[in-house]
Amino acid sequence: MKMAPSQKKKKNLLYLGRDYPKGADYFKRRLNNIFLKNKDVKNPEKIKELTVQGEFVMKELEALYFFRKYKAMKQRCYSDTNKN
């Protein structure tokens, strides 16, 4: 059985939200509220707009995680040189 595109997007967002700074439960609640709020949308233009917004959120979360990873790596690498 195939998943609807919105279900795939929700699943991907839930996966990305597991490391959210305010916690996975907070992210999951917010995500569920957003999907429930927009469950009755039938207008194709509005659906496309919401899909683009979901993709933007996914990219922002990925950027947040990459930045956090870079920041931790930079701190580990340069913290030894500053101790002299």
Side-chain angles (χ1 to χ4, degrees):
M1 185 173 177
K2 281 191 163 185
M3 290 177 110
S6 61
Q7 287 176 324
K8 283 185 179 180
K9 195 153 308 278
K10 184 176 179 182
K11 192 172 183 178
N12 287 340
L13 282 166
L14 280 172
Y15 180 77
L16 288 172
R18 65 181 187 204
D19 292 328
Y20 193 69
K22 289 188 176 181
D25 292 333
Y26 173 82
F27 187 84
K28 187 176 181 180
R29 277 195 314 271
R30 295 274 312 241
L31 184 66
N32 283 335
N33 289 340
I34 291 169
F35 270 81
L36 287 175
K37 183 179 92 176
N38 295 313
K39 72 178 182 178
D40 296 326
V41 174
K42 302 289 185 208
N43 184 355
E45 292 175 10
K46 181 68 175 171
I47 291 172
K48 188 173 183 175
E49 180 183 316
L50 291 170
T51 302
V52 169
Q53 186 177 4
E55 291 171 1
F56 175 77
V57 170
M58 285 175 33
K59 288 178 185 176
E60 286 292 314
L61 285 171
E62 288 173 351
L64 173 74
Y65 299 148
F66 285 132
F67 179 69
R68 187 174 8 164
K69 185 177 176 182
Y70 168 76
K71 191 173 164 183
M73 184 178 66
K74 185 177 175 186
Q75 187 178 19
R76 278 191 303 248
C77 290
Y78 293 112
S79 65
D80 294 337
T81 59
N82 292 336
K83 291 182 180 178
N84 291 335

